[in-house]
Amino acid sequence: MSLHDSHGLHFIERWAISASESQFNALSGAVGGFASGVATCPLDVIKTKLQAQGGFMPVSKGRHVGHHKVYRGLIGTANVIWREEGIRGLYRGLGPIILGYLPTWAVWFTVYNKSKVWLADRDGLHSGPLINFWSSIIAGGSSTVVTNPIWVIKTRLMSQSASGFNRQMSVFPRSGNTPTSRPNLHTPWHYRSTLDAARKMYTSEGIGSFYSGLTPALLGLSHVAVQFPAYEFLRKKFTGKGMGEMDDGEGQSHWLGVLAASIMSKIMASSATYPHEVIRTRLQTQRRPTPGVEYLQGLGIPEGQSGERVKASALEPKYKGVVMTFRTILREEGWRAFYAGMGVNMMRAVPAATVTMMTYEYVMKNLHHAQSEGRRKQAGFS
């Protein structure tokens, strides 16, 4: 396939001539999400393990009790992962990250910019920040519902340990050898790949497992409701132009303004809304047990020991809903647990947001340039 046609147009220029602004946004968002996912995957793994480890508590007489912390801080957690799993452990969950970020940001930027245009045409919404706020909510809700199953799989893959380091923290027993029983659980999670995780989650826990943590994820729309209006405001202040607007002649000062707006807006949003991420992670990493005598015996509760009421309570998941999860974490671990991994999250989220936005702006600039160049060449040939 030739990269040039008879008019001297490159392949990208030929595509850009007829492409819409929505297609530009979708492609730029997908490329930006992909780049940030690959660049920050190790920090995402560390953050997820720090957030989730409080949910893996051994059981004594049907009650969850405390245990020593396996993961401590950025360096300590990285050392544990490196020692037990090597470089592969630091990139656990990269598959769903790539599968997740591509549609997430493609949907998000497309819906966000479409929503801004739609809301601007509605009566009563004349304020730029207000339009940006509601556009962020609409775009975030759309992308969250579409991609939540991918993020649940990603979180579970990142939470597991290939070496069995967390074996003593698993609250799940080994199953029997019957055809309908679950696979043996040598670690808190036992997934070999993205497809393997999806298959096992569906067969053993049902379709509902893919939407674990959806409620706190939707509550997390407050994050983008802070981040992107702040980004648009700061970008306008620093560069004089809105998101996705950039000329060929823009110099270093313009890119520094984009960089500063990206960093500052992400820090503001992460600081204000971090606790919901811990709640969401706990709900996503909690496996849904199958009721049965084997499960009770695996918890160290012999059949018939405590009556039906104890059996029923033993089968209840530890975390149910946002409010109960909040109360359970606060009661058992204190308020500091809601900020577990926040330092690592900042070190991951800020570079991720920066790479996403800088890549998005760069791709948008080049697509607009290709479009204008293609139209110029086409007009010149005519």
Side-chain angles (χ1 to χ4, degrees), residues 222-249:
S222 57
H223 184 100
V224 293
V226 173
Q227 180 186 353
F228 283 90
Y231 174 78
E232 294 249 40
F233 174 80
L234 293 171
R235 192 190 193 285
K236 193 78 172 179
K237 286 289 184 183
F238 295 155
T239 67
K241 294 185 177 180
M243 188 172 70
E245 298 176 1
M246 194 175 295
D247 298 330
D248 292 338

Side-chain angles (χ1 to χ4, degrees), residues 49-57 65 67 169 282 318-319 332-333:
K49 286 185 179 293
L50 287 170
Q51 287 180 340
Q53 73 171 337
F56 299 124
M57 292 192 173
V65 297
H67 66 277
M169 292 190 287
R282 295 291 180 90
K318 182 178 182 182
Y319 304 120
E332 294 185 352
E333 305 169 57

Side-chain angles (χ1 to χ4, degrees), residues 138-180:
I138 296 170
S142 302
S143 62
T144 297
V145 171
V146 169
T147 62
N148 194 77
I150 299 173
W151 297 124
V152 174
I153 294 173
K154 181 218 76 168
T155 303
R156 290 198 177 193
L157 285 171
M158 287 184 171
S159 298
Q160 69 183 2
S161 172
S163 66
F165 194 88
N166 294 336
R167 191 174 302 163
Q168 72 274 18
M169 292 190 287
S170 178
V171 301
F172 307 108
R174 294 186 181 185
S175 64
N177 294 321
T178 61
T180 57

Side-chain angles (χ1 to χ4, degrees), residues 283-332:
L283 288 168
Q284 288 180 342
T285 55
Q286 174 179 246
R287 187 182 173 94
R288 300 183 176 193
T290 300
V293 174
E294 176 187 325
Y295 176 73
L296 292 174
Q297 291 175 341
L299 291 177
I301 307 174
E303 183 182 8
Q305 173 184 341
S306 305
E308 293 300 323
R309 186 172 64 178
V310 174
K311 288 185 180 181
S313 63
L315 294 174
E316 291 293 325
K318 182 178 182 182
Y319 304 120
K320 291 194 304 181
V322 175
V323 176
M324 179 182 173
T325 303
F326 174 83
R327 290 175 176 173
T328 302
I329 296 173
L330 184 64
R331 182 179 65 253
E332 294 185 352

Side-chain angles (χ1 to χ4, degrees), residues 62-138:
R63 293 177 59 83
H64 292 271
V65 297
H67 66 277
H68 69 282
K69 289 186 177 181
V70 176
Y71 305 115
R72 294 179 180 273
L74 172 63
I75 303 300
T77 304
N79 285 337
V80 171
I81 297 172
W82 181 266
R83 183 172 64 250
E84 298 296 324
E85 304 176 60
I87 188 67
R88 187 174 182 177
L90 291 172
Y91 281 90
R92 186 175 298 279
L94 180 60
I97 279 182
I98 294 175
L99 291 175
Y101 275 134
L102 289 176
T104 292
W105 289 113
V107 170
W108 198 94
F109 280 108
T110 302
V111 176
Y112 178 71
N113 286 283
K114 279 283 189 181
S115 297
K116 286 200 298 183
V117 174
W118 184 81
L119 290 172
D121 294 336
R122 304 278 78 79
D123 293 334
L125 282 180
H126 304 293
S127 169
L130 189 60
I131 290 175
N132 295 338
F133 172 83
W134 285 111
S135 298
S136 298
I137 295 293
I138 296 170

Side-chain angles (χ1 to χ4, degrees), residues 18-82:
S18 57
S20 65
E21 193 70 14
S22 294
Q23 290 175 301
F24 282 3
N25 280 302
L27 179 59
S28 301
V31 175
F34 173 82
S36 68
V38 173
T40 61
C41 182
L43 289 171
D44 206 1
V45 173
I46 294 171
K47 181 208 73 170
T48 301
K49 286 185 179 293
L50 287 170
Q51 287 180 340
Q53 73 171 337
F56 299 124
M57 292 192 173
V59 176
S60 175
K61 297 181 181 180
R63 293 177 59 83
H64 292 271
V65 297
H67 66 277
H68 69 282
K69 289 186 177 181
V70 176
Y71 305 115
R72 294 179 180 273
L74 172 63
I75 303 300
T77 304
N79 285 337
V80 171
I81 297 172
W82 181 266

